[in-house]
Amino acid sequence: MKFGNNEVIERATTGDVDEIINLYRAVYGRKYPISYGTDPELLSRSIQNNETHMVLVARDLNQKVITGALITEIDKENKIGKLVGLVVHPNFQKNKIGNHLVVYVGEHFLEKESEINSLYATTRTITVGPQRVFIKNQYLPLGIFPNAHRLSQYETVTLFAKFRKGLLEKRVPTKEVSQSLIPMYNILQNIVPDLSIPTGVPLSSPEAPSTNEAWDFEIIRAPHYVYRKFLETFPDPKDRFFPFHTPNMLIADKKGRIEIFAYFSKRDGYCTLIKATKPISELAGSLTSLYMQLDDIGVSYIEVLINVKLTQFIEPLLAGQFVPSALYPAMREVDGKFEDYIVLSRTMEPLNFRGMAVISQFKPFIDQYVDTWKQVNLDTIEVIYGTK
């Protein structure tokens, strides 16, 4: 694809690896949390595997320099793609290179090819530039992840997604979901007026835990062992739905009551709970024990992805101080039907939105998150006046 003054977008080759890595370092420094920007071997493997990745570069043919790069991870099993690592050379910022790269990916996967139903991307909030690129390309804002990554400070990131034409219209929503999810649906419906949304069911009173015992967990961080055990425990791919997250940590109750497979990035404190041998919600009153032990090893942010129809699992997590952060409609196709997923998150650090730059479409998500966080963490405080 040619654009501009003798510039071209094309697939990267292994000979481009060093120049791409140097571009990431020039723009983001050595603390860039995405491994493609710091691990030459990973980047080289990704370039060579067209089944799981599309690694694009923008080249200035006159100056013979790479002016931008974008990586798309591909999950054909779940028909979803993820755009990561968008980077543009500082000397070529005015050439709309980022936009051209995003346009190329969208046209390739959602128009020319038919193996992907949707593409998604997250953006940092230190500048609105990347957010404007995705909005311009008809990506829908779906939510925010407060304190999700620790770089020079804790940063909030945004979530965007774009769908194959007509896909959202085919989606038939779940009839009923937890009332706590309805504000997220309302925000999304304001953005997409034709989007059908479910009916909210009032929260049920949480069951009192059967015991006040604090569970003790053993944490195993052995990526290859954990992944082998994950595949052995859940041999059916349908039971492993969490696109682009591979478990590298096992959290096991010392009494053998539950094992939780998770991904943990020590570099920035990000942790996702991918799958457990029992619903995580069954921990109920013991969730605090889990939080404390994860905090001890450096986890600052926890995330769970769950189907919106699983109200019986969502409500205990909400009671355990998880907050709805993002809503991804039609994220998964099952037997020709498209199902919605909610991202619940819990930050271990104080919320701090100062200095954050977001486009206006994300303001309702921020307001809703803050309101819910206050309800979960402040409105439950019991205040006693006077003396007895």
Side-chain angles (χ1 to χ4, degrees), residues 66-94:
I66 292 176
T67 57
L70 175 61
I71 299 162
T72 304
E73 298 176 341
I74 308 163
D75 182 346
K76 292 184 178 180
E77 176 74 27
N78 293 304
K79 301 181 180 181
I80 193 169
K82 179 183 181 183
L83 285 68
V84 296
L86 177 62
V87 62
V88 176
H89 195 291
N91 296 338
F92 295 84
Q93 294 284 347
K94 295 182 179 180

Side-chain angles (χ1 to χ4, degrees), residues 25 94-95 137 183 185 232 244 251 321 329 353:
R25 288 176 179 169
K94 295 182 179 180
N95 295 13
N137 283 278
Y185 272 106
E232 292 169 1
F244 312 116
I251 307 163
Q321 296 181 304
F353 292 129

Side-chain angles (χ1 to χ4, degrees), residues 21-37:
I21 294 288
N22 288 335
L23 178 58
Y24 279 114
R25 288 176 179 169
V27 175
Y28 298 116
R30 294 181 177 272
K31 292 185 178 181
Y32 189 53
I34 298 176
S35 297
Y36 298 111

Side-chain angles (χ1 to χ4, degrees), residues 159-178:
L159 177 66
F160 287 94
K162 185 174 184 177
F163 302 84
R164 182 176 300 284
K165 187 176 181 180
L167 187 143
L168 286 181
E169 288 77 8
K170 295 178 183 177
R171 161 189 162 274
V172 177
T174 300
K175 291 183 178 180
E176 296 180 340
V177 299
S178 169

